[in-house]
Amino acid sequence: MPDTTTIESLEALRLEALRELESASGEALEVWRSKYLGRKGRLTQVLRGIVGMPPDERRSFGAAANTLKEVLENAFADRAAAVGPKPADTGLDVTLPGRRPLQGRLHPVTQTVRDIAEALTAMGFQIVEGPEVEHDYYNFTALNIPPDHPARDMWDTLWVDRVDAEGNPRILLRTHTSPMQARVMEKTKPPVRVAVPGRCYRYEATDATHEWHFHQVEGLAVAEGITFAELKGTLYEFARRIFGPERKVRFRCDYFPFVEPGVDMAIDWKGEWLEIMGAGMVHPRVLAGVGYDPEKFTGFAFGMGVERIALLRHGIDDIRHFAANDLRFLSQF
Ligand code: PHE
């Protein structure tokens, strides 16, 4: 048994205890604690021995022993904090497979807009965008639909609550992307060939194929000598790229005030036809209105409904799903 009553023996005890503690973890930590600091531990015994010491030694030795006790207690607390509780203590099983984080992706309408833009870009159209809050001049008048013309009823319009000097509302949420036809032509000399994706709004009752807000992509091509055959060729090629060569397409006459002749295109849907776009040859009055000579230039325009195209491509039964923000629907795409 080594002498435990000298300052040197305390120093030896300190070194030994700290060395052992350096590598202790888990259960070994508890073993260490009772070995040195426990009721029958080495330091406790040293402290007990103080009682029998001569008084002059007792004071300095006692102080040193108490300091050592503090040092060991602190070292133990540090080590325990550093090594931490054992995994088994917290009930954490690190071998279990982890939970997958939710992964975001593009909305199906955004994906469809991008696919449409890509198809049209490959066919030579340049992508431009325009304002959603429009002047009635661009939404209607410039498109050969003057104020008070009954054709304005074709679009159920959401007007902005502001009137001009005569008390007439002038600002609206655009009902289609067609106002960009005039905006682009006003700023550009022919030839032009642009595609305009964007949001549109209509004040109307919703059902499986109608929403009060939706997306369109407008197309416009104006140059010398453009014919109806080019419109038809462009739209068939577009349908082939988006729906594949097998899908049935219907092309027939329709009326829009800003085209002559006007047509619409429909795609085979559940044994019926679903209209996906209006189109036609740009009306001479629209060309004249933006300062193009209608004797010299001709062109075609089309405007398609993006949600309807997404519906057809994915076999979805109701257009209202797109804006319902339900992850069970959205995570399919
Ligand atoms: N703007 C028309 C609509 O929303 C579609 C259209 C665009 C028709 C271009 C002809 C030419 O109904």
Side-chain angles (χ1 to χ4, degrees):
M1 182 90 182
D3 180 9
T4 59
T5 58
T6 64
I7 297 287
E8 291 85 310
S9 70
L10 285 184
E11 179 59 14
L13 182 60
R14 186 179 75 87
L15 291 174
E16 190 189 337
L18 290 182
R19 195 179 329 108
E20 241 176 74
L21 183 62
E22 253 172 60
S23 57
S25 65
E27 278 171 27
L29 268 178
E30 264 318 305
V31 172
W32 184 93
R33 202 228 299 255
S34 58
K35 177 170 170 190
Y36 290 99
L37 298 167
R39 233 161 18 92
K40 289 184 188 148
R42 304 234 331 244
L43 188 62
T44 317
Q45 270 165 15
V46 169
L47 289 167
R48 281 208 189 107
I50 293 173
V51 205
M53 288 170 90
D56 53 334
E57 277 176 43
R58 201 189 287 173
R59 180 181 291 266
S60 62
F61 184 83
N66 274 319
T67 306
L68 178 57
K69 188 179 178 211
E70 238 173 77
V71 167
L72 293 188
E73 277 169 354
N74 287 340
F76 175 82
D78 288 350
R79 178 69 189 163
V83 179
K86 284 200 314 164
D89 295 339
T90 65
L92 174 71
D93 182 351
V94 293
T95 65
L96 281 175
R99 250 175 248 159
R100 268 177 185 280
L102 280 182
Q103 196 179 26
R105 66 198 89 184
L106 293 176
H107 190 280
V109 170
T110 307
Q111 291 178 32
T112 307
V113 168
R114 292 192 180 186
D115 292 344
I116 292 169
E118 196 180 305
L120 291 174
T121 306
M123 293 165 71
F125 289 84
Q126 184 191 342
I127 307 293
V128 293
E129 287 179 296
E132 290 173 28
V133 181
E134 238 329 341
H135 199 281
D136 78 330
Y137 174 78
Y138 289 105
N139 199 84
F140 293 126
T141 313
L143 293 168
N144 194 28
I145 316 167
D148 305 323
H149 192 285
R152 285 201 179 197
D153 296 345
M154 282 173 73
W155 294 274
D156 305 284
T157 308
L158 286 158
W159 294 92
V160 172
D161 193 9
R162 172 142 40 109
V163 291
D164 66 5
E166 283 95 55
N168 295 313
R170 284 281 174 255
I171 311 294
L172 48 78
L173 299 186
R174 67 177 174 196
T175 59
H176 49 186
T177 43
S178 301
M180 275 300 280
Q181 291 186 25
R183 282 186 179 274
V184 167
M185 288 190 283
E186 267 181 4
K187 290 224 177 85
T188 333
K189 286 203 169 83
V192 297
R193 192 158 49 175
V194 293
V196 190
R199 254 177 211 279
C200 307
Y201 304 84
R202 285 184 199 173
Y203 180 65
E204 70 184 338
T206 60
D207 63 27
T209 53
H210 294 84
E211 256 287 17
W212 67 270
H213 62 122
F214 53 93
H215 296 72
Q216 283 190 344
V217 179
E218 191 83 4
L220 174 72
V222 180
E224 274 182 71
I226 290 190
T227 67
F228 189 82
E230 271 138 351
L231 167 60
K232 195 172 174 186
T234 300
L235 294 188
Y236 272 84
E237 172 61 15
F238 171 79
R240 200 188 58 75
R241 286 178 189 243
I242 292 294
F243 299 106
E246 303 301 329
R247 197 90 183 232
K248 277 192 224 140
V249 172
R250 187 191 68 184
F251 196 64
R252 64 171 194 186
C253 287
D254 200 350
Y255 172 73
F256 301 93
F258 35 95
V259 288
E260 179 58 36
V263 294
D264 69 54
M265 191 176 217
I267 305 285
D268 164 42
W269 182 55
K270 301 194 215 165
E272 292 178 46
W273 295 107
L274 183 65
E275 267 177 42
I276 58 157
M277 69 170 103
M281 299 305 289
V282 180
H283 198 288
R285 274 202 218 131
V286 174
L287 295 175
V290 296
Y292 284 16
D293 179 358
E295 297 297 328
K296 193 168 168 200
F297 297 105
T298 54
F300 61 78
F302 55 86
M304 64 186 82
V306 176
E307 278 78 358
R308 289 190 174 188
I309 291 175
L311 198 119
L312 285 161
R313 294 176 91 201
H314 298 295
I316 298 159
D317 59 348
D318 195 319
I319 207 166
R320 289 167 293 190
H321 288 310
F322 288 123
N325 211 18
D326 186 336
L327 276 183
R328 289 169 299 180
F329 171 76
L330 294 173
S331 58
Q332 304 172 74
F333 303 97

